[in-house]
Amino acid sequence: MYKASTSEVTVSQETTARRGRGRRPAAEVRAAVLAAAGRILLRDGLQAVTFDRVAAEAGSSKTTLYKWWPSPGVLAAEAYFAESRQALEFPVTGDLRADLIAQLNAFVRWLKKEGAEKPVSQLIGAAQLDPSLAQAWSESYALPRRELARQRLRVALEQGRLREDADLDIIVDQLWGALYHRLLVLRVPFDESVVERLVDQALYGAAPREDGRA
C-alpha cells in the first residue's frame, strides 16, 4: 500500500499554506503537480490521474496543467519518474555484482511492495496506443534509467571487470527485460529471490566458468 512520505506531506502543507498569498514560482507549482500526480498514480492507478483531480490536490489550475502537459498520461509518466528516482538510485560500490543485485532488488521491491506494479503495467499498456505517452515514457523514464545502468556497466568495463567486447545494452536487456517480461507478458509471480540468478546469468552466462567471478 502506498504511504505518503514526509517530504510529500511537507509539500502538501506548504502548498496549502501558500494558497491565497499570490502566485507561486513555476518550479514550485510544477513540483507540487508532479508530487500530486505521483501520489494519485501509485495509490489509485493511471485512470485516476486526471487534470481535474491533480489540479485540485496540487492547488494548481487546470490551465497550467494543459499548458505543460498534452495529456494526463504524459503527466503520469513524468510523475512516475519523479516518484521512482529516489527509490531506484543506482549504487556504485566497486562491486559490480553487488551493485546490480542491489539495484534489481530495489526495482522488484518498488514494484511488489511499494505500489508501482499496477501503474507501471498501466502506463506501458496505454503507451502502446498513445504515441505521446509512449514518447514521454521513453524520454522521461525508460531511456534515463537505461543510461544509469549503462554508466555503471561502463565503469566495470573500464576497470576490466567485463570482457572488452561485452555488449552493455544486451546486459541491460537481459536483466531488466527479464523482469518486465514476467510482469507484462507471462504475468507470473516473481520476487527478489530471482535477482541473484538473473545477475549471475547476465554476467557469467550459461557455459561452465573456468575462472573466478568478475
Side-chain angles (χ1 to χ4, degrees):
M1 180 179 296
Y2 175 73
K3 296 181 180 179
S5 66
T6 301
S7 62
E8 291 170 346
V9 172
T10 301
V11 168
S12 178
Q13 292 172 340
E14 291 177 351
T15 298
T16 302
R18 290 186 64 96
R19 288 174 184 166
R21 298 184 184 180
R23 180 171 297 179
R24 292 178 291 167
E28 182 180 318
V29 174
R30 190 178 186 90
V33 169
L34 288 172
R39 290 193 298 272
I40 294 168
L41 176 68
L42 292 179
R43 185 174 61 225
D44 301 320
L46 179 61
Q47 297 303 315
V49 182
T50 65
F51 282 164
D52 280 328
R53 185 169 175 184
V54 174
E57 186 158 331
S60 180
S61 69
K62 285 197 299 180
T63 302
T64 298
L65 272 63
Y66 278 109
K67 180 174 66 176
W68 286 341
W69 293 280
S71 70
V74 172
L75 168 58
E78 186 174 342
Y80 175 80
F81 177 63
E83 286 291 318
S84 66
R85 184 177 301 176
Q86 183 174 357
L88 300 182
E89 288 183 352
F90 211 118
V92 180
T93 66
D95 184 332
L96 175 61
R97 181 175 181 273
D99 289 351
L100 290 174
I101 289 172
Q103 167 60 202
L104 287 173
N105 276 333
F107 181 55
V108 174
R109 286 194 300 270
W110 173 246
L111 291 175
K112 298 293 187 177
K113 298 180 181 179
E114 298 181 43
E117 182 172 20
K118 179 179 177 180
V120 165
S121 299
Q122 292 173 334
L123 280 165
I124 294 175
Q128 309 313 303
L129 301 175
D130 183 342
S132 63
L133 174 53
Q135 181 177 357
W137 175 259
S138 177
E139 294 179 355
S140 297
Y141 178 77
L143 289 177
R145 292 299 313 172
R146 185 182 186 86
E147 183 56 28
L148 284 176
R150 292 182 79 256
Q151 289 174 4
R152 179 63 189 91
L153 291 168
R154 193 178 299 117
V155 169
L157 183 63
E158 293 169 352
Q159 293 174 336
R161 297 181 181 277
L162 293 172
R163 291 200 327 246
E164 292 182 2
D165 63 344
D167 189 318
L168 305 188
D169 288 319
I170 293 295
I171 296 174
V172 174
D173 290 342
Q174 286 179 298
L175 293 171
W176 281 266
L179 296 175
Y180 279 114
H181 186 67
R182 293 186 181 209
L183 175 68
L184 300 170
V185 180
L186 300 178
R187 302 187 68 83
V188 296
F190 63 93
D191 55 28
E192 294 168 60
S193 66
V194 75
V195 167
E196 287 194 26
R197 285 175 285 150
L198 281 177
V199 171
D200 286 342
Q201 181 70 29
L203 291 181
Y204 312 122
R209 288 198 298 271
E210 297 180 356
D211 49 18
R213 291 175 172 174

